[in-house]
Structures are given as structure tokens and as C-alpha cells.
Amino acid sequence: MAWKKLEPFVHRTPLLSSTTTNNRVGKKVHFKMENQQKTGAFKFRGATYKLMQLPKEQLVNGVITASAGNHAQGVAYAAAKLGTQATIFMAEATPTTKVNATKSYGAEVVLVGESFQEAYEASLERQKETGAAYIHPFDDEDIMAGQGTIAMEMLRQEDRLDTIIVPIGGGGLISGIATAAKHVNRSIRVIGVQAAGAAAMYSSYLRDTVEKLNTVSTIAEGIAVKQPGSHTLPIIRNVVDDIVTVSDEEIAAAIVYMLERNKTLLEGAGAASLAALFKYHDTISSRHCGVVVSGGNLDISTLPKIQKLAAAKSVLAS
């Protein structure tokens, strides 16, 4: 199983609770702190597991991918550990912290396009030229299996979990988590969360279509994906119980809340699941609720904007 192979390489991140949060939502909340994972996000799991499956002769030509940022760092770090060269395509608006971190692991970074989709299409063209192994950020069974190890850890850390809330971009994280969780306990509910400004999976899931967005707009750049994965969408329809959306103001409020109350830095994507819990807690029937904090690679220069958005949410809520 993936979790056994990855165990020596990844951090077993903490599963934390907060009395303040518990009281606020009326249930026991368990934060899976993947912002404390190597490279600051869960993506290291899937990237490492995928590269471990590649034969050595394939690694000789290097690996290539596109990423909103966290997958880039995961692939770059895993590639460095396995002695192969990584080339990463990222959108031009990717936070500087994520770009610099990716470069620091020895990867070549190419900035192109306004969103993940443009970077992805450009990376496919480069892959044809070089023959490098393509490491898709979410639409790959090995990637999903690597991300699914989060659920296996959570259920070993707290076997009373009845619900897990997971952020969704292209769907690799929630596909892996939901599959793994329901393998252990079919009654566990898995709820996905998308940013309202990048809700392709939400629309596809509800309408039983494949929604392709022309543009995306959200502070949660880690889940700003224009269309669902062709492999992840069928899995999500089969194993995910519900998908909800949250606004940028709600995401920002969750970031500020965790920073002020728990002294923990979350990026937009990492705060989405907590934002959903705050927004929908009255309708989420759960006694022990897992919240996946998927990453903490926030560009500090965006904090004033986040504080302003969070303040707007507070005004709206009052």
C-alpha cells in the first residue's frame, strides 16, 4: 500500500484540536496539519509516490509538470532526492515564495499564462520535445494514492472520525482521501470544498456534466483549476458525499482566524476546508470532524489584502 511505502519519507503530520473551534461549531474538530508537511503542503506525498513508481531508465530524461505552486515544490524536492532533473511550468501570477522555493530544490521553473490551465498546456508541449516523464498534479492514480495516505494517517490518529472536509482543485487530494477513508469505513462522509471563483468541480458534480471555466478568480491559487480531471471526476462522483463552495472573504476570515487563535499560517487552499466548516457547520452532522489543512505556503505580502477581505466578511456577518 502507498502509505507503507511513503512512511519513511513523509512527515506524519499532527492531528490537532482547538477548544475555541470546537465551541464555535458545536463539534470536535480535528485539523490535519499538512501545512507542516515537507515543502509546506500535502503535495509532497503524491509527487514522491509517483516518482517512486517510475523505472530508473525513465528518470534519466527528467520529469516535467505544471503546478499552481505546491505540487511544483513536491515534485522538485522528490526529484532532487531521487537524482533526476525537474522542469516545472507555473502561472505567471504564482506567489514569489512558491517560485523561489521550487527553484531552491534545483528545478527549472518556467512562468507562463494566467492560470494553471495555460501552464499545463505549455508543459505538455515541452514534454513532447524532451521525452521527460510527466507528473500530473492531480489526474493520476499514483498521485491520488499518495494523497490518500493522509486519510490513513488521520484514521490511525483518531478512529472516531465520521466526516472529513477536503479542499478541491483538480480533485487528486479528495479522490485519494475519499477512496482510502471509505476503504476503512464506508460510513465516513467526505465533503469537498471549492472556492466560489474557481468552482468547476462543484458545477460538474452537481450538474453531472464536465464544466470548463474560461477564467478563475480566487485568493486560493492552489485550487484555482479551470476544469476537473478526467480521472478524478468519476471517482469523486462515486465516493464524495457532497461539495460546497466558499467565498474569498470566507477563506480570508479562516486564514486570519487560524493565525490569531492557533498561531498557524495557512494559505488560501489550506483554509478552504475550515471556511466551509464555519459556513456550513449547522448542516454538517458530525461529532468528530476532520479538516484537511492542505498547505501553508502563503505569500506574506498578500496579508494586507487578506485582512481586508476578512474584515469585509466580519462586517457582512454582523
Side-chain angles (χ1 to χ4, degrees), residues 150-203:
I150 295 171
M152 303 303 286
E153 280 185 18
M154 292 176 76
L155 292 169
R156 281 168 174 76
Q157 291 166 309
E158 176 51 75
D159 62 8
R160 294 173 295 176
L161 289 178
D162 53 46
T163 305
I164 303 177
I165 305 177
V166 188
I168 301 178
L173 175 62
I174 197 168
S175 294
I177 285 179
T179 300
K182 289 179 183 277
H183 175 74
V184 176
N185 182 354
R186 289 294 301 177
S187 67
I188 291 177
R189 284 179 54 80
V190 179
I191 300 171
V193 185
Q194 286 217 288
M201 185 68 79
Y202 170 78
S203 299

Side-chain angles (χ1 to χ4, degrees), residues 197-235:
M201 185 68 79
Y202 170 78
S203 299
S204 301
Y205 179 85
L206 288 187
R207 299 172 186 170
D208 200 24
T209 60
V210 179
E211 186 79 11
K212 298 180 181 180
L213 305 177
N214 291 323
T215 60
V216 290
S217 177
T218 176
I219 62 170
E221 77 283 341
I223 52 175
V225 178
K226 287 185 175 181
Q227 64 186 75
S230 59
H231 297 297
T232 58
L233 180 55
I235 294 172

Side-chain angles (χ1 to χ4, degrees), residues 19-299:
T19 300
T20 303
T21 306
N22 294 347
N23 293 338
R24 179 168 174 171
V25 300
K27 47 184 64 64
K28 189 72 178 288
V29 181
H30 306 270
F31 294 103
K32 183 57 169 168
M33 305 301 287
E34 284 295 293
N35 61 325
Q36 297 181 28
Q37 186 55 259
K38 293 179 181 178
T39 72
F42 75 96
K43 290 283 191 176
F44 177 69
R45 294 175 183 265
T48 302
Y49 186 68
K50 176 62 179 180
L51 264 65
M52 289 172 67
Q53 309 311 303
L54 297 176
K56 290 183 180 179
E57 56 268 23
Q58 197 168 5
L59 289 174
V60 170
N61 291 328
V63 296
I64 189 169
T65 192
S67 170
N70 288 332
H71 177 66
Q73 294 175 65
V75 170
Y77 187 55
K81 289 294 184 182
L82 293 173
T84 188
Q85 178 62 38
T87 302
I88 319 286
F89 282 68
M90 305 168 81
E92 292 172 354
T94 302
T96 302
T97 52
K98 292 185 177 182
V99 174
N100 291 340
T102 303
K103 289 180 178 179
S104 74
Y105 295 121
E108 175 193 357
V109 174
V110 180
L111 298 176
V112 59
E114 67 166 17
S115 73
F116 164 78
Q117 195 62 33
E118 285 78 20
Y120 172 60
E121 290 167 1
S123 70
L124 292 178
E125 291 301 315
R126 175 72 71 86
Q127 193 274 335
K128 292 176 184 176
E129 299 170 3
T130 64
Y134 200 89
I135 313 299
H136 198 284
F138 53 83
D139 212 24
D140 181 288
E141 290 184 358
D142 290 330
I143 293 290
M144 296 178 220
Q147 321 305 22
T149 60
I150 295 171
M152 303 303 286
E153 280 185 18
M154 292 176 76
L155 292 169
R156 281 168 174 76
Q157 291 166 309
E158 176 51 75
D159 62 8
R160 294 173 295 176
L161 289 178
D162 53 46
T163 305
I164 303 177
I165 305 177
V166 188
I168 301 178
L173 175 62
I174 197 168
S175 294
I177 285 179
T179 300
K182 289 179 183 277
H183 175 74
V184 176
N185 182 354
R186 289 294 301 177
S187 67
I188 291 177
R189 284 179 54 80
V190 179
I191 300 171
V193 185
Q194 286 217 288
M201 185 68 79
Y202 170 78
S203 299
S204 301
Y205 179 85
L206 288 187
R207 299 172 186 170
D208 200 24
T209 60
V210 179
E211 186 79 11
K212 298 180 181 180
L213 305 177
N214 291 323
T215 60
V216 290
S217 177
T218 176
I219 62 170
E221 77 283 341
I223 52 175
V225 178
K226 287 185 175 181
Q227 64 186 75
S230 59
H231 297 297
T232 58
L233 180 55
I235 294 172
I236 288 169
R237 284 177 174 153
N238 185 47
V239 295
V240 172
D241 298 282
D242 195 12
I243 299 179
V244 299
T245 63
V246 290
S247 68
D248 274 7
E249 289 82 3
E250 289 159 343
I251 292 170
I255 292 173
V256 172
Y257 174 86
M258 285 294 279
L259 194 55
E260 290 181 345
R261 298 301 179 92
N262 294 303
K263 315 307 175 192
T264 299
L265 185 64
L266 277 57
E267 62 185 271
S273 49
L274 176 58
L277 178 63
F278 284 157
K279 183 176 184 178
Y280 300 103
H281 66 88
D282 285 340
T283 61
I284 296 175
S285 178
S286 172
R287 296 186 65 185
H288 288 271
C289 185
V291 172
V292 177
V293 177
S294 59
N297 294 315
L298 180 73
D299 187 342

